[in-house]
């Protein structure tokens, strides 16, 4: 089954097809790819969309296919029928695309191309020279980007590039914004990793190129679903060198570190790196296994490890709270003691933090009160709190909250509801 959407990009204007609803979405479901090619070639809707400078979203959906090469040939034929005047193309292929090469050079007006995570850009891909913004699933070779002299923004959703390849991006003078994603779970499909040394493209190796991109790299998202991964720490974790490299990214505005076994990095090293990322606006930390205890020291029992984690997170919380531009902070499955929570709240009092999410961090009612007192600009608070939060309700009510979620394990008195909903009793009548 193949389908596409033609989306009217001229918001505020009447659709050229006579529909009042914007954006305009047309869907055609076909069983045969040759029929799809004919539809694209003869479709008045497609021509009108191109003339109106609309964006086109094209998606191929397939179940089990025995002749992938034949299907790939039909896909290429279909793409060749797209109007040359298109400005934006959102293309996805949900089947194994290892044998499929993009050839879009004829789209001479295209300024933005978005491919799904299942669509790798190989070295023989032909991309429009007019591109200014490229969002791609996997990019192993920088070669296809060399002719793109106007490229200003590059978003790689699941990076498979070595440090040497990434370093080549530093020579792109027009390129000002780069986003790198490392989602190692994608490599479970061996077809996507043919001829690739996983260690050479893992964050711990690719990080050697990050400092050279410090003025361009704006987003760095690292996610390793380690339950499904090999036991090789080079693939599961993040080295101390990689953590240090994060600290060199002076232009970084968004950082996600989730499900990462950073076995070589201590909380102090992570805190030092975070303090240097002064442009950060969004930060997400979750299920990060740091080296909580000093090297060579083993925990005698669970209490020792819990105390080490609590002390380590105090250092991390203090570093996070010192970030002057931070607007959104999410921490989950990492312990935050009352002291760490108070440190976070007091140190961040003068920042721009408006969104805070603490899930599975062991936040207590006292910690919640500290947050409410220390962060007067919060508009979104999501905290998994255990215990009676009645005493914190009046303080929370002073915040300009647009959303408040305290989880399923907190309690409060019915009288305290009147602080937020003075007429709540009338709702029960």
């Amino acid at each position: 089954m193949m389908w596409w959407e033609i989306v009217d990009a001229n918001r505020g204007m009447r659709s050229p097809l006579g529909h009042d609803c914007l954006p305009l979405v047309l869907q055609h479901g076909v069983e045969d790819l040759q029929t799809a090619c004919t539809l694209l070639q003869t479709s008045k809707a497609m021509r009108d969309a191109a003339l109106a400078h609309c964006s086109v979203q094209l998606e191929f959906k397939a179940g089990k296919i025995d002749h992938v090469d034949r299907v790939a040939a039909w896909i290429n034929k279909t793409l060749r029928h797209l109007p040359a005047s298109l400005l934006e193309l959102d293309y996805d292929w949900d089947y194994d695309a290892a044998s499929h090469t993009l050839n879009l050079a004829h789209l001479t007006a295209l300024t933005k191309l978005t491919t799904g995570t299942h669509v790798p850009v190989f070295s023989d891909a032909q991309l429009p020279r007019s591109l200014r913004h490229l969002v791609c699933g996997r990019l192993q070779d920088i070669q296809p980007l060399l002719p793109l002299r106007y490229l200003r923004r590059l978003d790689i959703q699941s990076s498979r590039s070595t440090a040497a390849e990434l370093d080549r991006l530093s020579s792109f003078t027009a390129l000002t914004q780069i986003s790198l994603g490392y989602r190692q779970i994608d490599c479970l499909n061996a077809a996507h990793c043919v001829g690739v040394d996983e260690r050479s493209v893992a964050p711990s190796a690719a990080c050697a190129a990050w400092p050279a991109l410090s003025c361009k790299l704006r987003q760095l998202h690292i996610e390793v679903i380690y339950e499904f991964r090999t036991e090789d720490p080079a693939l599961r974790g993040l080295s101390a060198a990689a953590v240090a490299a994060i600290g060199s990214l002076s232009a970084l505005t968004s950082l996600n570190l989730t499900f990462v076994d950073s076995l070589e990095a201590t909380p102090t090293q992570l805190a030092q790196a975070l303090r240097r990322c002064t442009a950060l606006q969004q930060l997400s930390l979750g299920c990060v296994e740091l080296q909580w205890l000093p090297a060579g020291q083993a925990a005698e029992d669970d209490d020792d490890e819990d105390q080490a984690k609590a002390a380590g997170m105090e250092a991390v919380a203090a570093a996070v709270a010192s970030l002057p531009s931070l607007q959104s902070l999410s921490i989950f499955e990492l312990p935050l003691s009352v002291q760490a929570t108070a440190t976070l709240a007091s140190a961040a009092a003068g920042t721009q933090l408006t969104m805070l999410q603490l899930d599975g961090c062991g936040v207590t009612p006292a910690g919640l009160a500290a947050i409410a007192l220390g962060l007067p600009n919060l508009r979104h608070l999501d905290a998994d709190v255990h215990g009676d939060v009645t005493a914190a309700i009046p303080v929370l009510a002073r915040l300009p909250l647009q959303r408040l979620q305290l989880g399923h394990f907190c309690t409060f008195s019915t009288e305290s509801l009147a602080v937020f909903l003075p007429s709540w009793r009338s709702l029960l009548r």
Side-chain angles (χ1 to χ4, degrees):
M1 175 70 72
M2 188 202 78
W3 62 282
W4 62 82
E5 297 177 339
I6 304 174
V7 183
D8 192 337
N10 294 299
R11 296 185 179 276
M13 299 177 60
R14 184 175 175 83
S15 162
L17 301 182
H19 293 264
D20 293 325
C21 181
L22 294 177
L24 172 67
V25 178
L26 302 178
Q27 296 186 8
H28 302 269
V30 296
E31 297 293 340
D32 181 75
L33 288 172
Q34 186 172 7
T35 304
C37 294
T38 303
L39 284 173
L40 280 173
Q41 201 170 15
T42 60
S43 172
K44 181 179 183 297
M46 181 68 77
R47 292 196 303 272
D48 288 347
L51 291 174
H53 302 297
C54 296
S55 64
V56 172
Q57 297 181 353
L58 183 65
E59 180 171 356
F60 293 85
K61 290 182 173 290
K64 183 178 179 181
I65 297 180
D66 296 327
H67 304 288
V68 177
D69 291 340
R70 181 185 172 203
V71 173
W74 280 117
I75 293 175
N76 281 326
K77 184 177 180 181
T78 303
L79 293 174
R80 285 197 297 271
H81 291 316
L82 291 174
S85 55
L86 280 180
L87 295 182
E88 297 185 10
L89 174 63
D90 188 338
Y91 168 73
D92 198 5
W93 168 242
D94 72 351
Y95 193 69
D96 177 11
S99 61
H100 175 45
T101 298
L102 284 178
N103 185 349
L104 303 173
H106 67 289
L107 301 179
T108 54
L110 200 68
T111 58
K112 181 179 179 181
L113 171 63
T114 301
T115 74
T117 56
H118 296 284
V119 183
V121 177
F122 293 117
S123 59
D124 55 352
Q126 297 183 40
L127 303 177
R129 293 174 180 263
S130 56
L131 274 185
R132 286 169 170 77
H133 186 184
L134 173 61
V135 183
C136 59
R138 280 177 296 279
L139 182 67
Q140 296 177 199
D141 193 330
I142 306 302
Q143 190 65 31
L145 306 189
L146 295 180
L148 309 183
R149 56 185 298 187
Y150 303 110
L151 190 65
R152 297 176 182 175
R153 180 173 175 180
L154 173 63
D155 301 334
I156 307 175
Q157 302 172 61
S158 186
S159 178
R160 305 295 295 153
S161 303
T162 63
E165 287 298 310
L166 289 176
D167 191 62
R168 299 172 70 183
L169 293 174
S170 62
S171 64
F172 284 55
T173 55
L175 187 60
T176 58
Q177 295 187 45
I178 299 176
S179 173
L180 287 181
Y182 292 90
R183 295 174 175 84
Q184 304 296 72
I185 190 63
D186 289 341
C187 289
L188 286 174
N189 188 336
H192 295 155
C193 306
V194 175
V196 177
D197 177 8
E198 285 198 45
R199 286 194 172 199
S200 68
V201 298
S204 292
C207 68
W210 297 350
L213 303 175
S214 60
C215 295
K216 302 177 184 290
L217 192 53
R218 304 301 177 89
Q219 297 183 1
L220 180 62
H221 296 175
I222 302 176
E223 179 181 4
V224 183
I225 310 298
Y226 53 79
E227 290 89 348
F228 301 99
R229 298 288 303 168
T230 175
E231 292 299 318
D232 187 343
L235 301 179
R236 289 181 47 167
L238 203 61
S239 66
V243 173
I246 291 174
S248 69
L249 305 178
S250 57
L252 198 67
T253 60
S254 179
L255 174 63
N256 285 14
L257 297 177
T258 56
F259 300 101
V260 178
D261 285 351
S262 298
L263 299 178
E264 298 181 21
T266 66
T268 300
Q269 290 172 323
L270 177 59
Q272 290 173 345
L274 291 176
R275 285 184 185 277
R276 298 174 62 189
C277 297
T278 54
L280 269 185
Q281 299 175 14
Q282 183 273 331
L283 174 63
S284 179
L285 295 174
C287 295
V288 178
E289 285 298 327
L290 296 167
Q291 184 177 312
W292 303 108
L293 295 168
Q297 179 180 334
E300 296 182 0
D301 52 37
D302 291 342
D303 289 340
D304 286 348
E305 186 173 358
D306 290 343
Q307 291 176 7
K309 286 184 176 181
M313 284 305 298
E314 286 184 27
V316 173
V320 168
S322 70
L323 299 173
S325 303
L326 193 65
Q327 300 174 17
S328 174
L329 172 63
S330 177
I331 301 177
F332 60 93
E333 300 302 330
L334 286 170
L336 285 177
S337 64
V338 175
Q339 181 60 38
T341 307
T343 299
L344 177 65
S346 61
T351 68
Q352 304 178 40
L353 192 64
T354 58
M355 183 276 183
L356 178 62
Q357 181 177 8
L358 304 174
D359 189 7
C361 298
V363 177
T364 64
L368 178 64
I371 290 172
L373 288 170
L375 300 175
N377 299 319
L378 278 185
R379 287 172 170 75
H380 181 161
L381 175 59
D382 184 349
D384 189 7
V385 184
H386 290 244
D388 191 338
V389 299
T390 298
I393 294 295
V395 186
L396 288 171
R398 300 190 197 119
L399 300 177
L401 290 173
Q402 298 174 355
R403 173 176 174 175
L404 174 64
Q405 184 170 334
L406 300 179
H408 302 290
F409 301 102
C410 69
T411 59
F412 48 85
S413 66
T414 54
E415 289 75 13
S416 64
L417 274 180
V419 176
F420 283 111
L421 296 171
S423 60
W424 70 271
R425 293 183 184 278
S426 63
L427 299 177
L428 303 178
R429 298 171 184 169

